[in-house]
Amino acid sequence: MSTTQSERLRGLLEPLVSAQQLDLEEIEVSRAGRRGVLRVIVDSDEGVELDACAELSRAISQKLDETDAMGEGEYVLEVSSPGADRPLTEHRHYVRATGRLARFHLTGDGSGELVARILAVDEDGLDLEVPGVKGRKPTARRLAFDEIAKARVEIEFNRKDKKEEEA
């Protein structure tokens, strides 16, 4: 997708997404045979319900029909939330991942990998809990944002939900 098309689509869609109290995470235009595919990825602090995606999809479709932003050809519109394997790249991604286990690829002298639970996020970095190994207690660690090359939430199948812990 050209930068100008990307910028135009972002300018066109951002107000619609914001009106739903969602964040526009990504816009991707690709080809699937003769058709174009427009993927719009949205998120919020509370997550995204299926009904919100459907409502936003209708609003985006109507707006795109009113403009020529997608050109004259056929296209498929997909509106969804980010997958579980989305990289953590923005401050808000780390905030939303608080309480979750994440895998960090580190930069510089601390290069390597670290798997830890995100306990708190501030403007400078993260407070983490590194799980203990072989019966040892977990340890606390501070990680600055500039020490992180890449980060991604780890899928936990036996993770206790916050709601379960409060019950």
Short mmCIF file of all heavy atoms in Angstrom, two decimals, residues 100-104 114-119 128-131 139 141 143 154:
data_model
loop_
_atom_site.label_atom_id
_atom_site.label_comp_id
_atom_site.label_asym_id
_atom_site.label_seq_id
_atom_site.Cartn_x
_atom_site.Cartn_y
_atom_site.Cartn_z
N ARG A 100 0.01 -9.84 32.49
CA ARG A 100 0.26 -10.95 31.55
C ARG A 100 1.75 -11.31 31.52
O ARG A 100 2.62 -10.49 31.81
CB ARG A 100 -0.17 -10.54 30.12
CG ARG A 100 -1.59 -10.05 29.97
CD ARG A 100 -2.64 -11.15 29.97
NE ARG A 100 -2.42 -12.21 29.04
CZ ARG A 100 -2.91 -12.28 27.81
NH1 ARG A 100 -3.64 -11.30 27.34
NH2 ARG A 100 -2.69 -13.33 27.06
N LEU A 101 2.02 -12.51 31.12
CA LEU A 101 3.38 -13.00 30.92
C LEU A 101 3.82 -12.56 29.52
O LEU A 101 3.04 -12.66 28.57
CB LEU A 101 3.38 -14.52 31.04
CG LEU A 101 4.71 -15.21 31.31
CD1 LEU A 101 5.28 -14.76 32.64
CD2 LEU A 101 4.50 -16.71 31.31
N ALA A 102 5.04 -12.06 29.40
CA ALA A 102 5.54 -11.61 28.10
C ALA A 102 6.96 -12.10 27.88
O ALA A 102 7.71 -12.34 28.83
CB ALA A 102 5.48 -10.08 28.02
N ARG A 103 7.31 -12.25 26.60
CA ARG A 103 8.68 -12.63 26.21
C ARG A 103 9.34 -11.38 25.64
O ARG A 103 8.84 -10.76 24.71
CB ARG A 103 8.67 -13.73 25.17
CG ARG A 103 10.06 -14.17 24.72
CD ARG A 103 10.00 -15.36 23.77
NE ARG A 103 9.31 -16.50 24.35
CZ ARG A 103 9.89 -17.41 25.13
NH1 ARG A 103 11.16 -17.31 25.42
NH2 ARG A 103 9.18 -18.41 25.62
N PHE A 104 10.49 -11.02 26.22
CA PHE A 104 11.23 -9.83 25.82
C PHE A 104 12.54 -10.23 25.17
O PHE A 104 13.27 -11.08 25.70
CB PHE A 104 11.54 -8.95 27.05
CG PHE A 104 10.32 -8.49 27.78
CD1 PHE A 104 9.82 -9.23 28.85
CD2 PHE A 104 9.67 -7.33 27.42
CE1 PHE A 104 8.69 -8.82 29.53
CE2 PHE A 104 8.54 -6.91 28.09
CZ PHE A 104 8.04 -7.65 29.16
N LEU A 114 14.08 -12.76 27.89
CA LEU A 114 13.56 -12.75 29.25
C LEU A 114 12.06 -13.00 29.17
O LEU A 114 11.37 -12.37 28.37
CB LEU A 114 13.84 -11.39 29.91
CG LEU A 114 13.18 -11.11 31.25
CD1 LEU A 114 13.77 -12.02 32.33
CD2 LEU A 114 13.37 -9.65 31.64
N VAL A 115 11.58 -13.92 29.97
CA VAL A 115 10.14 -14.15 30.09
C VAL A 115 9.75 -13.71 31.49
O VAL A 115 10.33 -14.19 32.48
CB VAL A 115 9.77 -15.62 29.85
CG1 VAL A 115 8.29 -15.85 30.09
CG2 VAL A 115 10.15 -16.04 28.44
N ALA A 116 8.80 -12.77 31.58
CA ALA A 116 8.41 -12.23 32.88
C ALA A 116 6.99 -11.70 32.81
O ALA A 116 6.47 -11.40 31.73
CB ALA A 116 9.38 -11.12 33.30
N ARG A 117 6.37 -11.55 33.98
CA ARG A 117 5.03 -11.00 34.08
C ARG A 117 5.13 -9.49 34.26
O ARG A 117 5.91 -9.00 35.07
CB ARG A 117 4.30 -11.62 35.27
CG ARG A 117 2.83 -11.25 35.30
CD ARG A 117 2.04 -12.14 36.25
NE ARG A 117 2.25 -13.56 36.06
CZ ARG A 117 1.66 -14.30 35.12
NH1 ARG A 117 0.84 -13.74 34.26
NH2 ARG A 117 1.90 -15.59 35.02
N ILE A 118 4.33 -8.75 33.50
CA ILE A 118 4.31 -7.29 33.59
C ILE A 118 3.44 -6.91 34.79
O ILE A 118 2.25 -7.20 34.82
CB ILE A 118 3.77 -6.65 32.30
CG1 ILE A 118 4.63 -7.06 31.10
CG2 ILE A 118 3.68 -5.14 32.44
CD1 ILE A 118 4.06 -6.64 29.75
N LEU A 119 4.06 -6.26 35.78
CA LEU A 119 3.33 -5.86 36.98
C LEU A 119 2.84 -4.41 36.91
O LEU A 119 1.75 -4.10 37.36
CB LEU A 119 4.22 -6.02 38.22
CG LEU A 119 4.70 -7.43 38.53
CD1 LEU A 119 5.60 -7.43 39.76
CD2 LEU A 119 3.51 -8.37 38.73
N LEU A 128 8.67 -5.80 36.46
CA LEU A 128 8.39 -7.18 36.07
C LEU A 128 8.56 -8.13 37.24
O LEU A 128 9.29 -7.84 38.20
CB LEU A 128 9.37 -7.62 34.96
CG LEU A 128 9.42 -6.77 33.70
CD1 LEU A 128 10.55 -7.26 32.80
CD2 LEU A 128 8.09 -6.82 32.98
N GLU A 129 7.92 -9.29 37.13
CA GLU A 129 8.14 -10.40 38.04
C GLU A 129 8.66 -11.55 37.20
O GLU A 129 7.95 -12.07 36.34
CB GLU A 129 6.84 -10.79 38.73
CG GLU A 129 7.01 -11.97 39.67
CD GLU A 129 5.69 -12.40 40.27
OE1 GLU A 129 4.89 -13.03 39.54
OE2 GLU A 129 5.45 -12.08 41.45
N VAL A 130 9.90 -11.91 37.45
CA VAL A 130 10.53 -13.01 36.73
C VAL A 130 10.22 -14.30 37.50
O VAL A 130 10.57 -14.41 38.68
CB VAL A 130 12.06 -12.81 36.61
CG1 VAL A 130 12.69 -13.96 35.86
CG2 VAL A 130 12.37 -11.47 35.96
N PRO A 131 9.54 -15.25 36.86
CA PRO A 131 9.17 -16.49 37.56
C PRO A 131 10.40 -17.23 38.08
O PRO A 131 11.46 -17.23 37.44
CB PRO A 131 8.47 -17.33 36.49
CG PRO A 131 8.09 -16.37 35.42
CD PRO A 131 9.09 -15.26 35.48
N THR A 139 11.44 -13.23 41.19
CA THR A 139 12.23 -12.04 41.53
C THR A 139 11.69 -10.83 40.78
O THR A 139 11.14 -10.96 39.69
CB THR A 139 13.72 -12.24 41.16
OG1 THR A 139 13.82 -12.56 39.78
CG2 THR A 139 14.34 -13.35 41.98
N ARG A 141 12.15 -7.27 38.75
CA ARG A 141 13.13 -6.68 37.82
C ARG A 141 12.52 -5.44 37.18
O ARG A 141 11.34 -5.42 36.87
CB ARG A 141 13.52 -7.68 36.75
CG ARG A 141 14.49 -7.07 35.75
CD ARG A 141 15.25 -8.05 34.96
NE ARG A 141 16.11 -7.37 34.00
CZ ARG A 141 16.80 -7.98 33.09
NH1 ARG A 141 16.77 -9.29 33.01
NH2 ARG A 141 17.54 -7.30 32.24
N LEU A 143 12.76 -2.96 33.89
CA LEU A 143 13.22 -2.99 32.51
C LEU A 143 12.83 -1.67 31.85
O LEU A 143 11.65 -1.33 31.80
CB LEU A 143 12.58 -4.18 31.78
CG LEU A 143 13.12 -4.59 30.43
CD1 LEU A 143 14.59 -4.96 30.52
CD2 LEU A 143 12.33 -5.75 29.87
N GLU A 154 2.91 -13.81 26.00
CA GLU A 154 2.94 -15.26 25.95
C GLU A 154 1.53 -15.79 26.24
O GLU A 154 0.85 -15.28 27.13
CB GLU A 154 3.89 -15.82 27.01
CG GLU A 154 5.36 -15.58 26.71
CD GLU A 154 5.88 -16.51 25.65
OE1 GLU A 154 6.04 -17.72 25.93
OE2 GLU A 154 6.12 -16.03 24.53
#
